[in-house]
Amino acid sequence: MKDNRLLVILGGLTAIAIALIFLVPVAGFIAAIVLLAIVPPWGRGRIERFIISSIVILALIAVIYPRASSMPIDSVTARLTLTGILLGTWALRLIPRLRYVPVSAPTLVEAMLLGLFIVDQHVPATSGASFISLPVEAAKTRHSGRLRIGVATPWGSQPTGVADFSVATISALANLVDVTVFTTSGGMTNSQLTGLTGVDIDVKNVDELLGKRGEHSFDVIVVVVGNSHFHLPFLELTTLTDCIVIAHDTRMVEFYLALRDRGGVEQVMLKTLDPNAPTTISPPLDEQIDDMRLLQNAGMWEVARRSQGLVLHAQSAAQRLAIETGVTPFLLPFANQRVPASSVITADMRSEARARLGFDSTCIHLASFGYVDTRTKMSDQVIQAAGWLSQWGHKVSLHLVGSASESVIESLSAAALSAGIHEFCVTGFVSEEEFRDYLLAVDLGVQLRISPQLGVSGPLSDLAAFGTRAVASSGLAIDVDAPGYIHRLPENVSALLVAEAIETVLESDFDSSSIEPERIAYLAGKQPELYAEKLLDYLKTIAEVR
Amino acid sequence: MRVGIDIEQFVRDPYGSGIQRVLQYLAIAWPEGDVEPVFIAPLPESPRGEFLCLTASQAASLFTIPFLPGAVDSDTGLAVERDVVEEVRLALFTSGAPVLSLSQVMSTCHIWFLPEVTYLPQVLARFALFAKAMPTMMIGYDIFPMTAPNNYRFKPGTAAEVNGYFRALVTTNSVVCISEFARQSIWSRLRRDRFLPCTVAHPGGDHVSAGETGLVTSDRASRPVRFARLGTMEARKHPAEIVEAFIAAIDSGVSAELLFIGRASASDSAINRRLESAIELGYPITWVHNASDSQVRELVANSDVFLSVGVEGYGIPVLEALQLSTPVLYWGEQPAAEFMEGFGARSLEVEGGELHGALDYAFSHYSNRAHLEGLLGEISVESIPTWAEFASAVERAARELLA
């Protein structure tokens, strides 16, 4: 066809493909692939033409969406890009010398290849086709008519507060909907906390979902994301399937630093919609990592943009994340993850816990709970605060209830010795019973964060639940909605101010029974069941959209 | 009797602060007598960890280095960037001071004296070591890093050193405080035993020659009143509030100029941005970042009012301004200015009340030259504390420690 009819026909096919891209995306995508093997004026045959088209597309995408680009890749921009490419390839034929490059009829082999491709896209996972051979969650029938939710999360006995929180809240969710938990091998073992929930949940290895490239038949997938290695497979899942993300941490920079090294994390940190954000990494990344107050970007771009919805517990960080990512988080008040075994906390229960832990009754027992970290949790400032109290004549026993590296334990022990603290210990990861004993036994908890942007503190919520007084950075107290017996410290705090606050709290008249009503009210408002209900309401809105 | 004075902090970071002015004049003005100061600095690159023992005159030369004016590029007219740390290192090498081991230093000193704020672990460890062998003394400056931490940003992981310094202020045998305010803070907040020696000696202002009139340009009387404010842009010194009040005054028709002399804030970039944006908007505000000592004097001498606002441990610049015949308006905790009240310094708190009202009052009232006359007439250079008095008080504290 050496006249304009070829141009018109190809133009018509291009227009149809573009329409399909917007109306029936899968069909439009297949049509686009076919056209990219036919329309462009390059290559000697269709295969060669398709290969060259693929290279051109990759180059265009690299230009349009560099890794540090703030341009989002979503269904709209993807469609517009494909439309542009189709129009561009057709438009090349408007150049007179390229107009008559021939188009030949497809061969049988090509038609079969395309057929196979279509089958791959459309045959359900249950089909048993050789290339989709993994066991099938999707085959599970919707026997109850309830929502079916898959939750990918650290779980069970994994040594992270996120696992404890998920056990408490997702177990409550399982009373309302059908829940299947997907976790890593470390989370397949039940913890003592899991046993306390009294709910039997189907727990599977997250590999099942990853192996199926995220394909599933759940109404909603929820992925619990945090800034530690526990979350690597879960984060990968967010790249494979639509999901709701529950972000436990409000930054991901250390995660990406470990995963992608400096260049990778810097690229994520430069992705932002904040018009006032710097366009380079400044101050240098090391300084920002060492001192989180300097963090120019939380590194939440990918997590937020890939999610169908972002659930956050930390209201202190919500605005920042919204500005940086353009995704307004759904704020869900933090739930209490560790409900005391008894509805009433008595002085006898505290005495018994002290006896079990072998506490010296002549000391003031202070404790800071959670992973020991000087960089973000100011563990060294806690020691120095205890040091000031010791200098002022108090006999202090300081317990850091959490795990720490050997080098950290060594340096903190030396600092405690130098500060003149009577007793100091880093307990390491402790059992559930021992953790609860510490919550009951100590005179005061000390929970600090160097910045209010660094996420919630489960242990602070635990202290509140057990009616144990504490001093805490105000951002943490706000994020767990701490009751009045949790003393709020300024965000910028010195060890001296912490020590003064501790002394003031300890010397104030205090009858533990007087806070019981407040404690009970706090617990009632922070029940995992309430959290689960609110989460479910939110998930339903997503499921309806789906 | 020999007082060993640890100057490693200066050697590591000779940035010409008010505290280092104290060091400089301890060396210059230390009184003759049987209490001999020996300034101890680590010998640079010493494989055996040896120390240089400088005499007062050798140390005085060393401490003067950061205050010297830098060279000026003859082509561009701009100051050539200096490497003061290197200059100090070279000066130490060429000082000719005897080199001693730490044990020799310990055996020849009777008192160990830490004159500067330091968080260097090796200095604090040395102080703790000497404290076991002999009496120790320190100069007590402010304790703001402990009581007003929002003005400071210590690197995470340095809590042991930062708190270690302030705890040493509690346990050392004698403290010479630069103001009554500093002494009260150390007593009431750090809870130093009140029975332990803790005296007050005011640093001097006579390192600036009284009325260096050669610095003053002839247009001073013909231009709008210029308010000068000196110091790093720390929140505790309220630079942003000063800018806001000044903008409001200008917008309401006041004719005045505002001069900021000092480095940008390291802990609060919003303050820097606020100042920069006011300048960009065309308000008569000037910000001089890296002025040398002599430039600062010239700028202050050519100002009509010196503003000192916020919380200071002492406030040597107030004394410098008065030496240069520039009257001082102050607000907040200002020990040096309070000491000079009625002698050229006037409290805005008395005249204007709270910060905002005080600054409004300062800019509207004192932008009228006629209102400045009375204040100018009050300046009494004779009332400004001297370095000789300060050094004598320190020497006396050392003597009493050994008595």
Side-chain angles (χ1 to χ4, degrees), chain A residues 410-483:
Chain A
E410 196 177 316
S411 71
L412 293 183
S413 299
L417 184 68
S418 169
I421 299 170
H422 177 67
E423 277 180 358
F424 172 75
C425 72
V426 180
T427 64
F429 191 76
V430 296
S431 67
E432 179 64 22
E433 288 102 338
E434 201 174 346
F435 196 88
R436 285 168 178 264
D437 274 347
Y438 272 109
L439 288 170
L440 278 172
V442 297
D443 295 294
L444 195 94
V446 187
Q447 301 296 132
L448 304 180
R449 280 281 198 288
I450 201 159
S451 160
Q453 307 286 344
L454 301 184
V456 292
S457 166
L460 184 61
S461 177
D462 294 336
L463 284 160
F466 280 71
T468 302
R469 291 179 298 173
V471 298
S473 301
S474 58
L476 289 183
I478 289 167
D479 285 345
V480 302
D481 194 20

Side-chain angles (χ1 to χ4, degrees), chain A residues 339-346 349 519 523:
Chain A
V339 180
S342 165
S343 60
V344 179
I345 304 283
T346 64
M349 290 162 69
R519 184 186 75 84
L523 269 177

